[in-house]
Amino acid sequence: MKGQVIDYDTTVPIAFAKITYDNKTIATDWEGKFTLEIKDNNKPILFSYKGYYDKTHYITVGAPFLLIKMVNDNTLKEKEIYSESQVNAIIKKVIENKPKNQPEKALQTFEYKNYEHLLVSANPDSVSSKIDTVYKKRLFGRNTMKLDSTNYKFKKLIQQQHLYQTEKVNLIQHNEKGTKETLIATRMAGFKKPLYEYLGLNLVSYSLYDNQLDILETPVRNPISNYGRKLFVFKIIDTMKIENRTVYRIYFQPKKLNSDRLRGLLYVDAENFGIAQAFFRIYGIININATYTFNYLKEHQLWFPEKRKFTVVKGNNSEDLNIFGGTIKFNSSLEGIQKNASDQLYLKLESTPYDIEINKPVSFKIPSIKIDVPEASMSKPDSYWKSLKKDTLDTRKIRTYANLDSLSVAENIEGKIIFGRKIFNGYLPISIIDLDLKTLIKYNNYEGFRFGIGGVTNNKLSENYKVSFNVAYGLKDDKFKFGISPSYLLNKETNTWISASYADDLSEIGQIQFATQPRRFKIYDPRPINISTFYNYKTFSSFIESKYVPKTDIYFGISRSEILPLFNYNYVVDGNSYTNFNLTTVQFSIQWNPFSGYMQTPTGRLEIEKKFPKFAFQVTKSFDNILGSDFDFTKVDLKITHEIPYLNGQNTSFILQSGMAFGDTPLTHLYSIAPNNLNRETLFKRITFAGKNSFETMFFNEFFSSRYVAFHARHTFDKVKIAYKIKPVISVVTRMAWGEMDHPSQHVGFGYKTMEKGFFESGVEANQIFKGFGLTFFMRYGPNALPRFEDNFALKLSYVLDLGF
């Protein structure tokens, strides 16, 4: 009789659990499976494992399969299990010898070609072809009977072809400067040119020796990392031979039994303590299997990668899955597949190195660019792929390219993806112009409803220059606003543009904005709805934007502005009172993402691995007596963002932001750190839309600072299913800020407070409860808490637009 032992709550297999029957004891394998000979069904079978209640089972002779679910003993104070001293010493040697066994550290140079094939498919034999009978109730009359043939159609489809596939050949090079990947060839079913976003995906790590492994672009702690022995327990299974070398077969699993961390088998060379083979598993919302095999290079006494296999299947969840952000979306003909068919889908990736060369001269340009995609790599003929030895063709694979290519032409998939990318960034492409959706309609307390139109010319007009523009009219203030900015492309490779612009528009006072800040798509911007304190600016500027320095976005600009505060305010400097003022400024801004990975494509550089922390730095200098400028001041701004993603769908993020202004700086250009609360009597009268990283309990214009520091912390849980179609995303948030004001007597006619003692708020967000709408609730506390208890609370609506891209 065969069977398997699993955890009752998580369904994770319990490896090497003890099974006692008829005075004999065996153990499950590393997948919790076992085979047992049953002679007497009156004798009990005892299952035991540390941290679980023992389970006794009686079995009927001839039972086909036994699934044993063991219950975690939550009463035990100590649930962790520990490694034996022998295996602990071996793993310690593995960690100590990593520099000698990791090819990137042990070898001076190496290069190889790598063939990689990814497909999404299913095993036809695992899908039932039964045509089901479905009964549906009618409002009046008898039930109607319908035949459901989706399983049948699905099985016929996957018997002919895979659902999706793509493949590439890349050149991996390593020298003292680092490791570089250059694309040699690629093709993606259904596309004339591949999606750059897919080419940059890091689904599974190349190296097994880094402290963190990448699984589906999420960092996972490596069992042989410097902290691996604190997080994992190891067990020697046996010794065996691989390529005539003795290796230890070692099982590892998380110390905490209910964890969904990595677990698997390591095959450790008994002489040099290198990894000769590895099997990894993750069980959870998705089940992940990864297999690494290596070849032993006698000359270099090193195990070098031979093959990687990576499989993802649906786990213990009942919801649909979008793998790596829904980068690949399937044809709508697959919609409505029943559960017993859809659960058979899998994603499979295989990569095979070949033409390996070691310790020979290797050189490449710009090592900080992780992946280089030449134009020639996207147009290889069919003869190239047929001649590729690593290209193991099967009949379903050939049909997949033919069928999906014709599907792409018929449904214009490439055009839809280009359209979707622009919509995602807030633009609607219309002929030679991408219409800016953010400019169409807005509302605030000063302009009332603001109607406008804006956009930018696209590549259909020219790839070397563009013109952005906007015109708007406010119903309440009865005035037009406009702006225009022509730009010229200096260098396509580094995305370097030089621009000139003129704008006559409004801006919120005390706004903190970085010139390199990426554009976010918002149909609405909730904070300005309730703002009434703006200033008018008329600005001529010239600026240059570039990615010339790797892993950075750089902005440098010079501007001349006429500023008119649209509220009661006088700025007094050296006995002179100003109600409007002129500024001539120079601004330098840089966004630095040192840990992100970048790709060089024929259309410019793309950030393909968004890793944290990220740093933004900006200096703004105003000069007096130059082009009629009134004041001399300097502003320095810094922002650090950090995110920690988890495989279970949760995410933790932090923002540290600070700014300092020196010299004669008017209130319009100081800091209000994004307040978002109305100063009204009751909680319900203060209900508005929540902002993004704004202080929800801080009143508009309540605090101003010439120096400040702010900190935001947020933890977001995975979706919680409350009812049908009600699956909110829950976040817990804490924000705090401190600030000081220099020369407060210079700002006349405008009342405000300062934050020397600090401002604190915490709250809960329940976003996307229904149709993108949600609720947030925040509480203000600490030295700046308000005397009336109920005034310290803020209840807000939230809205998240999910475009499905």
Side-chain angles (χ1 to χ4, degrees):
M1 186 203 66
K2 293 183 179 181
Q4 186 179 31
V5 180
I6 64 173
D7 181 283
Y8 182 87
D9 296 312
T10 65
T11 71
V12 172
I14 300 177
F16 307 108
K18 289 184 179 180
I19 304 175
T20 303
Y21 172 75
D22 197 18
N23 296 322
K24 293 181 180 179
T25 300
I26 62 172
T28 61
D29 64 13
W30 80 287
E31 294 179 300
K33 296 179 180 179
F34 64 91
T35 301
L36 189 65
E37 184 179 357
I38 304 294
K39 296 181 179 179
D40 185 351
N41 61 348
N42 293 318
K43 291 184 177 181
I45 308 171
L46 178 65
F47 297 87
S48 61
Y49 193 76
K50 186 174 181 179
Y52 288 82
Y53 290 106
D54 291 348
K55 187 177 182 69
T56 302
H57 189 83
Y58 291 88
I59 187 67
T60 302
V61 176
F65 188 82
L66 180 61
L67 185 65
I68 298 296
K69 298 179 180 181
M70 297 188 68
V71 178
N72 199 314
D73 186 358
N74 294 319
T75 63
L76 292 178
K77 294 182 180 179
E78 183 59 63
K79 296 182 184 178
E80 293 188 351
I81 53 179
Y82 296 92
S83 307
E84 297 174 356
S85 57
Q86 180 186 4
V87 70
N88 196 49
I90 294 173
I91 295 302
K92 186 177 180 182
K93 288 279 190 180
V94 172
I95 296 172
E96 291 173 350
N97 284 274
K98 284 197 297 182
K100 298 179 181 179
N101 291 312
Q102 185 174 5
E104 289 82 1
K105 295 181 178 179
L107 301 174
Q108 294 181 355
T109 66
F110 64 79
E111 74 172 31
Y112 60 87
K113 294 175 183 175
N114 186 71
Y115 170 73
E116 183 172 291
H117 178 222
L118 179 145
L119 61 85
V120 179
S121 191
N123 182 357
D125 296 334
S126 65
V127 181
S128 170
S129 60
K130 179 182 176 182
I131 298 179
D132 296 323
T133 302
V134 179
Y135 291 92
K136 291 190 176 182
K137 291 185 177 180
R138 300 178 64 181
L139 186 59
F140 300 103
R142 294 178 300 177
N143 293 346
T144 59
M145 183 186 74
K146 290 187 177 182
L147 297 180
D148 184 357
S149 62
T150 50
N151 281 350
Y152 176 79
K153 293 177 180 178
F154 178 64
K155 182 164 185 170
K156 287 296 183 182
L157 174 66
I158 61 172
Q159 284 176 337
Q160 298 298 317
Q161 66 176 73
H162 300 302
L163 299 181
Y164 198 82
Q165 68 183 8
T166 180
E167 55 193 326
K168 65 180 180 180
V169 179
N170 48 8
L171 176 66
I172 307 296
Q173 297 174 291
H174 178 80
N175 61 19
E176 70 280 359
K177 295 180 180 179
T179 304
K180 180 73 173 282
E181 176 183 342
T182 303
L183 207 66
I184 298 174
T186 180
R187 62 176 175 174
M188 182 176 286
F191 299 91
K192 294 179 181 178
K193 289 188 177 182
L195 297 174
Y196 296 131
E197 291 83 350
Y198 162 72
L199 297 176
L201 288 176
N202 190 16
L203 299 182
V204 58
S205 293
Y206 279 93
S207 174
L208 288 187
Y209 292 94
D210 295 329
N211 283 334
Q212 287 186 334
L213 302 174
D214 285 321
I215 304 291
L216 287 181
E217 300 209 296
T218 302
V220 177
R221 180 61 69 180
N222 191 340
I224 59 170
S225 68
N226 297 334
Y227 299 97
R229 290 189 300 148
K230 295 181 179 180
L231 301 174
F232 294 89
V233 61
F234 300 87
K235 179 182 178 65
I236 294 181
I237 307 306
D238 53 27
T239 59
M240 57 184 298
K241 293 284 186 178
I242 298 180
E243 296 191 24
N244 294 320
R245 294 183 65 83
T246 301
V247 297
Y248 302 108
R249 191 162 67 108
I250 298 175
Y251 175 74
F252 69 89
Q253 71 177 38
K255 280 189 175 182
K256 294 184 178 180
L257 296 174
N258 59 352
S259 172
D260 59 355
R261 288 194 182 104
L262 208 62
R263 61 193 70 212
L265 291 172
L266 295 175
Y267 294 73
V268 177
D269 191 304
E271 184 177 340
N272 67 8
F273 298 96
I275 304 299
Q277 197 167 303
F279 297 92
F280 293 160
R281 295 284 170 89
I282 295 177
Y283 301 94
I285 292 176
I286 52 176
N287 292 336
I288 300 171
N289 302 335
T291 302
Y292 288 80
T293 56
F294 299 82
N295 281 324
Y296 186 72
L297 306 180
K298 294 182 180 179
E299 180 182 352
H300 305 285
Q301 299 181 354
L302 184 78
W303 291 92
F304 199 82
E306 178 189 42
K307 196 158 193 172
R308 295 182 305 152
K309 293 182 180 179
F310 178 72
T311 307
V312 180
V313 297
K314 203 169 185 179
N316 57 18
N317 68 318
S318 59
E319 304 296 326
D320 294 334
L321 288 175
N322 282 326
I323 297 176
F324 45 88
T327 302
I328 298 174
K329 188 175 182 179
F330 303 120
N331 182 25
S332 59
S333 64
L334 296 178
E335 293 178 359
I337 297 173
Q338 296 300 303
K339 185 178 186 298
N340 67 332
S342 64
D343 283 357
Q344 306 303 322
L345 295 176
Y346 62 83
L347 179 148
K348 183 177 180 182
L349 179 146
E350 291 189 12
S351 70
T352 307
Y354 66 101
D355 291 352
I356 300 169
E357 295 185 354
I358 294 176
N359 290 342
K360 294 184 179 181
V362 170
S363 62
F364 47 77
K365 298 188 301 180
I366 318 180
S368 57
I369 301 297
K370 184 177 180 179
I371 304 176
D372 195 4
V373 184
E375 183 79 38
S377 66
M378 297 181 287
S379 55
K380 295 292 184 182
D382 290 340
S383 58
Y384 173 86
W385 298 101
K386 291 179 181 179
S387 64
L388 191 64
K389 294 181 180 180
K390 306 301 174 187
D391 186 6
T392 54
L393 290 174
D394 61 66
T395 55
R396 286 205 293 168
K397 181 176 178 180
I398 297 173
R399 293 192 189 104
T400 303
Y401 278 115
N403 293 344
L404 287 181
D405 283 345
S406 61
L407 175 68
S408 177
V409 173
E411 299 194 3
N412 190 24
I413 293 176
E414 283 186 279
K416 291 178 181 178
I417 287 179
I418 294 172
F419 179 87
R421 282 174 175 161
K422 292 187 176 183
I423 290 290
F424 186 75
N425 288 310
Y427 291 101
L428 175 65
I430 301 175
S431 185
I432 63 172
I433 293 175
D434 293 341
L435 186 67
D436 189 346
L437 297 175
K438 295 202 306 180
T439 64
L440 298 180
I441 183 170
K442 295 182 180 181
Y443 180 86
N444 60 65
N445 283 334
Y446 183 82
E447 296 175 285
F449 281 102
R450 170 179 168 137
F451 298 95
I453 188 170
V456 60
T457 59
N458 55 38
N459 290 346
K460 290 184 178 180
L461 179 65
S462 174
E463 293 185 354
N464 296 319
Y465 65 85
K466 61 184 178 182
V467 179
S468 60
F469 63 92
N470 69 280
V471 178
Y473 177 74
L475 295 183
K476 189 174 180 180
D477 67 339
D478 192 26
K479 288 186 178 179
F480 281 96
K481 296 89 183 173
F482 64 92
I484 187 168
S485 180
S487 304
Y488 182 75
L489 181 63
L490 295 179
N491 187 293
K492 179 187 291 187
E493 182 176 322
T494 60
N495 297 87
T496 302
W497 292 83
I498 186 170
S499 307
S501 73
Y502 176 76
D504 182 349
D505 212 327
L506 303 182
S507 178
E508 174 192 351
I509 67 169
Q511 191 174 21
I512 304 168
Q513 190 165 0
F514 289 81
T516 53
Q517 182 174 320
R519 176 189 172 95
R520 286 185 174 273
F521 176 47
K522 297 178 183 177
I523 283 186
Y524 73 101
D525 192 359
R527 287 192 62 256
I529 291 176
N530 301 297
I531 297 173
S532 56
T533 47
F534 293 88
Y535 65 87
N536 173 253
Y537 64 90
K538 297 178 181 178
T539 301
F540 292 93
S541 63
S542 179
F543 54 93
I544 187 169
E545 299 168 291
S546 179
K547 300 179 186 292
Y548 179 80
V549 179
K551 300 194 176 188
T552 65
D553 289 278
I554 295 174
Y555 171 96
F556 179 78
I558 302 173
S559 64
R560 169 68 166 77
S561 301
E562 295 178 8
I563 306 296
L564 176 62
L566 301 174
F567 54 95
N568 183 28
Y569 173 67
N570 286 1
Y571 185 43
V572 180
V573 180
D574 298 330
N576 297 318
S577 180
Y578 296 85
T579 56
N580 56 55
F581 31 88
N582 301 319
L583 299 177
T584 300
T585 59
V586 173
Q587 188 174 76
F588 172 77
S589 185
I590 182 170
Q591 174 72 42
W592 181 40
N593 307 328
F595 303 101
S596 291
Y598 282 81
M599 175 192 293
Q600 184 68 55
T601 74
T603 59
R605 289 180 188 170
L606 296 176
E607 184 184 5
I608 53 170
E609 288 182 3
K610 296 183 179 180
K611 293 192 175 181
F612 296 87
K614 296 183 176 185
F615 305 87
F617 178 76
Q618 184 168 278
V619 178
T620 305
K621 174 65 178 176
S622 175
F623 299 91
D624 60 349
N625 300 321
I626 295 179
L627 299 178
S629 179
D630 295 321
F631 309 120
D632 187 314
F633 65 81
T634 302
K635 291 178 63 178
V636 180
D637 297 286
L638 173 68
K639 183 178 183 180
I640 302 173
T641 58
H642 187 54
E643 289 188 13
I644 305 172
Y646 306 98
L647 270 176
N648 59 9
Q650 300 185 43
N651 180 284
T652 303
S653 64
F654 305 96
I655 298 176
L656 178 64
Q657 191 165 320
S658 180
M660 294 180 287
F662 309 94
D664 298 327
T665 314
L667 191 72
T668 53
H669 289 63
L670 291 179
Y671 304 107
S672 68
I673 64 168
N676 191 34
N677 199 17
L678 297 175
N679 195 353
R680 293 178 181 171
E681 293 182 356
T682 65
L683 176 66
F684 291 102
K685 288 183 178 180
R686 295 194 297 270
I687 293 178
T688 58
F689 277 96
K692 177 73 172 178
N693 298 320
S694 56
F695 285 81
E696 302 300 334
T697 61
M698 184 186 294
F699 299 129
F700 289 104
N701 303 324
E702 184 178 3
F703 297 95
F704 279 85
S705 306
S706 56
R707 295 188 302 275
Y708 83 96
V709 59
F711 179 73
H712 305 250
R714 175 194 304 269
H715 182 81
T716 301
F717 299 92
D718 196 19
K719 288 185 176 181
V720 179
K721 187 173 183 180
I722 297 176
Y724 179 66
K725 290 189 177 181
I726 300 180
K727 294 174 288 185
V729 177
I730 307 296
S731 299
V732 290
V733 184
T734 292
R735 301 186 178 104
M736 58 193 73
W738 293 264
E740 296 179 347
M741 175 64 81
D742 292 333
H743 312 296
S745 60
Q746 291 181 335
H747 311 287
V748 179
F750 191 86
Y752 61 89
K753 296 188 291 185
T754 55
M755 295 187 299
E756 287 84 355
K757 295 182 179 180
F759 183 93
F760 304 88
E761 73 174 23
S762 296
V764 177
E765 298 179 348
N767 296 311
Q768 303 180 61
I769 296 176
F770 185 72
K771 299 293 185 180
F773 287 94
L775 289 173
T776 70
F777 182 79
F778 282 85
M779 182 184 74
R780 172 175 177 165
Y781 55 92
N784 277 294
L786 299 172
R788 203 170 68 154
F789 182 71
E790 56 268 30
D791 289 344
N792 293 294
F793 297 97
L795 179 65
K796 303 288 180 71
L797 299 173
S798 68
Y799 183 73
V800 177
L801 178 65
D802 185 0
L803 293 174
F805 295 102

